[in-house]
Amino acid sequence: MFTPVRSRIRTAALALSAMTALALGATATTGAAAAPAAAKQGPTSVAYVEVNNNSMLNVGKYTLTNGGANVFDIAVIFAANINYDAGTKAGTLYFNPNVQSVLDNAATQIRPLQQKGIKVVLSVLGNHQGSGFANFPSQQTASTFAKQLSDTVTKYGLDGIDFDDEYADYGNNGTGQPNAGSFVYLVSALRADMPDKIISLYNIGPAASRLSYGGVDVSSKFDYAWNPYYGTWQVPGIALPKSKLSPAAVEIGGTSQSTAAALAARTVSEGYGVYLTYNLDGADRSADVSAFTRQLYGSDAHYTP
């Protein structure tokens, strides 16, 4: 049985408000226009970075030997949390100190990637407190959380939000179990708040199986969805075109190079448009990365420290 291979190393600290005042000035928006990235043909490559341990800048250190294009197209900040708010009895957005540091230092941690043409997305997941995307008690509470997310994207100049419905521990703190409408309300409100930004789905948990309610199906409101089980092939169960799906998922340094290469080759041969990677760290992983870039793009990967 495969399980998602994610180490959730959380830093113990007093809760930081997701909406902490920030004097970013002009850097609160994307700032300088991104330089045109070298052209490449092939699937969109995604890199999750555990920012408790590693720098987001690692994503920009890999280019294709042939042509110099970025290996990775989307960098995911892993991860913010949905915490329980005893006052509102609903979920609220929380950043641990490491995530907060990345956001506060967007000028040096996020903008350099965007200026290379790499999109930067914030992942959000549960925090063992009973709140999750699937148990908002009302449409209003779901919309309020969606507004927190979209305000964060605007404030820090991000390119979107990734939903990961793990570790919610539904029922803790007297919270409700997953209901049919919660995630539909949340995704609908978020898409209305940020019509031109990325919304992606880490295809796991109760939310991922509750995409339709009251005659509304939010599948088409997602830009991407991916398999959450590293080292495996599993087509996400969501009605999106192949170009928006990643059935392949690999942990860099944890999935063998032969498996990563085989999954990449299958991605191309079966016509899927996304390739998901997790846990890019600060080491030179060019051998691991090249294992899949040869199949996806016909080129080795080059690492620049």
Side-chain angles (χ1 to χ4, degrees), residues 49-139:
V49 178
E50 291 258 15
V51 297
N52 287 339
N53 310 310
N54 299 299
S55 170
M56 290 300 297
L57 297 179
N58 295 332
V59 181
K61 294 180 178 180
Y62 292 87
T63 54
L64 297 180
T65 303
N66 299 338
N70 297 319
V71 166
F72 298 106
D73 304 288
I74 299 174
V76 184
I77 302 169
F78 191 79
N81 297 107
I82 177 171
N83 280 7
Y84 177 69
D85 186 324
T88 63
K89 300 188 183 304
T92 190
L93 188 58
Y94 165 75
F95 307 137
N96 77 23
N98 297 303
V99 174
Q100 187 70 62
S101 179
V102 171
L103 298 175
D104 286 346
N105 293 284
T108 57
Q109 297 298 309
I110 295 171
R111 290 316 156 247
L113 298 178
Q114 292 173 326
Q115 288 163 0
K116 292 183 177 191
I118 299 169
K119 302 292 187 182
V120 180
V121 170
L122 178 66
S123 186
V124 186
L125 78 161
N127 203 11
H128 307 284
Q129 297 184 10
S131 285
F133 314 128
N135 71 339
F136 283 103
S138 68
Q139 185 172 4

Side-chain angles (χ1 to χ4, degrees), residues 78-277:
F78 191 79
N81 297 107
I82 177 171
N83 280 7
Y84 177 69
D85 186 324
T88 63
K89 300 188 183 304
T92 190
L93 188 58
Y94 165 75
F95 307 137
N96 77 23
N98 297 303
V99 174
Q100 187 70 62
S101 179
V102 171
L103 298 175
D104 286 346
N105 293 284
T108 57
Q109 297 298 309
I110 295 171
R111 290 316 156 247
L113 298 178
Q114 292 173 326
Q115 288 163 0
K116 292 183 177 191
I118 299 169
K119 302 292 187 182
V120 180
V121 170
L122 178 66
S123 186
V124 186
L125 78 161
N127 203 11
H128 307 284
Q129 297 184 10
S131 285
F133 314 128
N135 71 339
F136 283 103
S138 68
Q139 185 172 4
Q140 181 56 52
T141 53
S143 296
T144 297
F145 187 72
K147 186 66 162 56
Q148 290 182 33
L149 295 174
S150 62
D151 284 349
T152 296
V153 167
T154 298
K155 182 175 183 177
Y156 297 104
L158 302 173
D159 295 297
I161 293 292
D162 175 64
F163 287 114
D164 180 351
D165 191 15
E166 298 180 274
Y167 307 105
D169 292 354
Y170 290 105
N172 281 358
N173 289 312
T175 57
Q177 291 300 310
N179 63 67
S182 176
F183 197 45
V184 172
Y185 291 144
L186 176 59
V187 174
S188 296
L190 183 60
R191 178 51 79 201
D193 287 345
M194 44 180 234
D196 301 319
K197 298 291 186 176
I198 292 170
I199 303 177
S200 58
L201 178 65
Y202 190 78
N203 190 49
I204 197 169
S209 62
R210 290 167 168 82
L211 301 178
S212 180
Y213 177 73
V216 177
D217 189 321
V218 294
S219 298
S220 64
K221 298 183 187 297
F222 288 95
D223 294 282
Y224 304 104
W226 25 74
N227 171 16
Y229 300 102
Y230 303 112
T232 75
W233 177 273
Q234 180 177 277
V235 179
I238 181 173
L240 285 174
K242 282 186 171 185
S243 61
K244 302 297 185 180
L245 297 177
S246 180
V250 302
E251 181 181 9
I252 295 176
T255 301
S256 71
Q257 292 177 19
S258 60
T259 297
L263 291 171
R266 187 171 179 182
T267 297
V268 173
S269 68
E270 296 192 18
Y272 287 93
V274 190
Y275 189 85
L276 178 69
T277 75

